[in-house]
Amino acid sequence: MAFKGAPDSVALILFFVFWYAGNMKYNEYNTAALNAVGGKTSGLTMTVATMQLGVCAVYAMIVWAIKLNPAKLFGLQAPDKQSMPNVTQADLIKSMKLAFCAAGAHAATVFALGGDPLFGQIVKAAEPVLAAIVGTVFYNKAPTFYKVCCLPIIVGGVAFASLKKGGDGSYSLKFDVTALVFGMLANAFAAFKGGENSKLMADKGIAERYGGVGNQFAVTQILGFIILLPIMYATEGAKLPFFFDKLKTDSSLQFNLVMSGLAFFIYNELATYTLKVTGAVTASVANTAKRVIVMVYMAAVTGKALTDEQKMGSGIAITGVLLYALIDDLLKSKKKTKAA
């Protein structure tokens, strides 16, 4: 008799748990890997980001080699069969825009979190703002009027989190510039990634040849790694001998680099498993809760507590994100109730 594993309801809960845990551990491993090479001023942040995607590429190839994806083991279910996709060269060329945006979002996120793991998370909460702008200008997908009304709440929250109260009671701007600039850049790349992903998957032929979201994600990470390699050599090539010498001898760098890449790949897969079987409301609440939990966890790991302004600002911004995600559904429900 074939092993069926845990019921879907139990598996779903476990997928949520390990999605959150994987995201938290990714942030921890990423910070440790960056610290191992000298922190945000080391000039090796792009190298760390690229090598993380290199780990993802190796993991994807191992999955194809054994023809089993072990991700569902986290839900105490049997692994899915997963073979190499039958994509054509033309499919890969069409996938390059998505891969470029995904690679850019990943690299910019590593820079942002390397600048300040906590403030970087706050800035990334503003992703819907960039998504609204990019969707409207480039993909003819403007948000509704009510969603637009939520955007100032998000922006205001991030802005307030950037303030610091002085001894005289006055406020002034004080934030990590790297976290702000690269956090917003990551948000922009993520917005384009969403648009390009929708365009690519709208082609039923390509979607069929990929044979599932898992294969599409795997190919995207491999292409992203290839895209980042020349950028890494162009920007940090002079320091690569130091990096590889350190990688040979520093067990902390070895462990955290490999684990950050694995955690990134696996938590994204688990997020896919959870979000595709939950409703929009549940998905929105889950994403919002995840961001709060990750910030609290990183504050504990790094020993760097959020300031009062960051606590209030992040609370406002994240509330705005949740409202942005839910407001159309809430208003639809209200209209239906009145009509009944």
Side-chain angles (χ1 to χ4, degrees):
M1 186 176 178
F3 172 72
K4 292 184 178 180
D8 288 345
S9 57
V10 174
L12 181 60
I13 294 172
L14 292 173
F15 289 149
F16 266 113
V17 170
F18 284 107
W19 167 29
Y20 282 20
N23 200 311
M24 290 187 289
K25 295 305 289 185
Y26 167 72
N27 279 265
E28 180 183 348
Y29 294 140
N30 178 63
T31 299
L34 290 172
N35 289 339
V37 296
K40 67 179 181 179
T41 59
S42 67
L44 285 168
T45 304
M46 180 61 78
T47 301
V48 170
T50 304
M51 291 301 129
Q52 286 175 351
L53 291 193
V55 171
C56 291
V58 172
Y59 178 79
M61 291 177 185
I62 292 173
V63 167
W64 289 334
I66 64 175
K67 296 185 178 180
L68 285 175
N69 188 332
K72 281 196 172 179
L73 289 174
F74 287 96
L76 300 180
Q77 292 187 330
D80 279 335
K81 292 181 179 180
Q82 186 169 330
S83 299
M84 186 178 293
N86 296 315
V87 288
T88 64
Q89 184 178 355
D91 293 338
L92 294 177
I93 292 173
K94 288 181 179 179
S95 300
M96 288 301 288
K97 285 184 181 180
L98 171 61
F100 177 79
C101 295
H106 174 70
T109 297
V110 174
F111 273 95
L113 299 181
D116 185 336
L118 300 182
F119 186 63
Q121 289 288 347
I122 296 172
V123 175
K124 280 186 64 60
E127 185 175 318
V129 178
L130 272 296
I133 296 171
V134 169
T136 301
V137 176
F138 295 95
Y139 298 100
N140 196 29
K141 292 184 178 179
T144 64
F145 169 77
Y146 298 106
K147 283 184 178 289
V148 171
C149 291
C150 297
L151 296 179
I153 301 174
I154 302 171
V155 175
V158 174
F160 193 80
S162 306
L163 298 176
K164 185 174 182 180
K165 194 173 184 179
D168 60 354
S170 62
Y171 283 97
S172 60
L173 284 172
K174 186 174 178 62
F175 52 85
D176 187 283
V177 176
T178 300
L180 178 63
V181 172
F182 282 96
M184 293 305 289
L185 187 60
N187 289 342
F189 272 120
F192 279 107
K193 181 180 74 172
E196 290 303 321
N197 184 68
S198 296
K199 282 174 62 178
L200 187 68
M201 289 299 100
D203 186 324
K204 293 183 180 179
I206 292 179
E208 185 178 332
R209 287 189 290 275
Y210 265 118
V213 176
N215 273 339
Q216 184 210 344
F217 181 72
V219 171
T220 300
Q221 302 316 300
I222 294 171
L223 292 177
F225 172 60
I226 295 170
I227 289 168
L228 288 188
L229 275 175
I231 300 174
M232 177 190 76
Y233 277 102
T235 57
E236 300 178 352
K239 295 193 174 184
L240 287 179
F242 165 78
F243 172 81
F244 287 115
D245 285 342
K246 191 169 183 62
L247 186 60
K248 292 176 185 176
T249 59
D250 191 332
S251 59
S252 174
L253 177 58
Q254 294 167 0
F255 176 80
N256 287 295
L257 194 59
V258 171
M259 293 306 294
S260 59
L262 286 176
F264 177 76
F265 196 104
I266 293 172
Y267 92 69
N268 274 288
E269 281 203 307
L270 295 177
T272 301
Y273 286 150
T274 58
L275 299 182
K276 75 178 182 180
V277 297
T278 58
V281 174
T282 302
S284 300
V285 173
N287 267 314
T288 304
K290 179 207 71 176
R291 197 171 296 283
V292 174
I293 292 170
V294 168
M295 278 197 290
V296 172
Y297 180 77
M298 289 307 297
V301 168
T302 61
K304 183 179 179 180
L306 291 165
T307 65
D308 290 339
E309 290 75 25
Q310 286 179 328
K311 290 177 183 176
M312 186 175 295
S314 61
I316 294 170
I318 290 171
T319 299
V321 171
L322 182 61
L323 188 60
Y324 179 91
L326 300 180
I327 192 163
D328 285 346
D329 289 327
L330 291 173
L331 290 174
K332 283 180 184 176
S333 298
K334 192 174 181 180
K335 288 178 181 177
K336 285 181 181 178
T337 303
K338 284 184 177 179

